[in-house]
Structures are given as structure tokens and as C-alpha cells.
Amino acid sequence: MRFREELVLNIQAPREAVWAAFQDFSSWPTWAKAIKEVSRVGSAWRFKARGQPPVDLVWVAEATERRPPEFLAFRSVPGVPHNLEISGWLRLDELPDGTTHLELLFEGHPHYDSPLLDKAADWYASVFGEPNKLLKVTFEQFKAHLEKTHRAQGLSTALT
């Protein structure tokens, strides 16, 4: 089952802070409930997320285009073991009030070594809305994490 998800969020934090937090992949498991672990694989990153029971979603992605702090394109790394092929991009625009407008396109499809697991994953995704739901929830958590961090930094600056 192929999926395509487009997300748009406005985050109450400066663009540079959003860019830095997005690329701090190793911290994702601390604020994203579905992300179990993130590790480095050469110049790419391996993500492991809670997926269709009993199988986790695993993808290894690398940047294909990077224009800090406004644009990042990414895709799965060919030949590296994973069960979710992905591609997409992230665009960040700073609004006049200091809010960051985030747009994300995330496309992909799960694939497993077993045709039976592929069929089970398709069924589970059609019934429960994975991985689209996972992506939406994760980026709502990203927004909440950033806004909380930005408010806390603003308070500590105001107190000094």
C-alpha cells in the first residue's frame, strides 16, 4: 500500500530552532512516542518506529538536497535493510510574527521480505490508517516539543 502525506503546521518558534530540532534525529525518541530509536548509518539515519504489530517500521534515509534553514529533501538509502521505502521534503518559512510555517511531503510504501507480511501490513494500514496517522501524530508532538522548548527559553531569557 503506497501512501502520500502532506502536512502543514505553524510552529511558535523561530525557523532556525525548528530546523535544528528537525535535524537532531538522535533526540526524536525523547519526544516522539512512536519513534523507538534512531541511529547513524554512514551518512544516513536509521529510524525504528512502532508499526503494525508485531513488526516495527524501519527506514534508513539520507538527504538528497539541503538548503539550511529552509529546505531538505530526503529518500531511502538503496541496498540498506529496511521495511519502509520513503521519499519527501521539508520546507520551512519564517512568518513576520516569528512563527515558522512547516510543510512536509512524505511518500512511501512498506515492504517486507515475506509476501504474507506485505498483505498483513496492507490490511492493517487500511483499517488503522498507518503510517499516515503515525506521521501526523509525530509531527504534532514535534510542534508541541518545540513550542514548549521555545517558551521555556523565552522565560529563562526574560528572567535574566
Side-chain angles (χ1 to χ4, degrees), residues 76-141:
S76 291
V77 177
V80 177
H82 56 271
N83 61 23
L84 184 62
E85 291 285 333
I86 59 115
S87 64
W89 51 261
L90 170 86
R91 178 174 292 123
L92 302 175
D93 294 310
E94 190 155 9
L95 303 177
D97 67 353
T99 298
T100 299
H101 180 77
L102 178 150
E103 293 179 51
L104 176 73
L105 172 69
F106 196 89
E107 297 180 285
H109 62 93
H111 71 88
Y112 299 97
D113 293 333
S114 158
L116 182 60
L117 274 178
D118 273 337
K119 287 185 192 291
D122 283 348
W123 174 82
Y124 188 90
S126 68
V127 173
F128 296 105
E130 298 287 341
N132 302 48
K133 182 180 175 185
L134 175 70
L135 189 66
K136 288 178 184 175
V137 168
T138 298
F139 273 84
E140 285 296 331
Q141 292 168 350

Side-chain angles (χ1 to χ4, degrees), residues 34-48:
I35 304 296
K36 294 171 83 172
E37 62 186 61
V38 180
S39 58
R40 202 80 158 125
V41 178
S43 62
W45 290 89
R46 180 183 182 274
F47 293 80
K48 184 176 184 181

Side-chain angles (χ1 to χ4, degrees), residues 2 4 6 11 22 24 32 35 54 57 77 93 113 124 132-133 137 155-156:
R2 292 198 63 76
R4 176 186 172 101
E6 295 179 48
I11 301 172
F22 179 80
D24 185 9
I35 304 296
L57 293 171
V77 177
D93 294 310
D113 293 333
Y124 188 90
N132 302 48
K133 182 180 175 185
V137 168
L155 284 175
S156 69

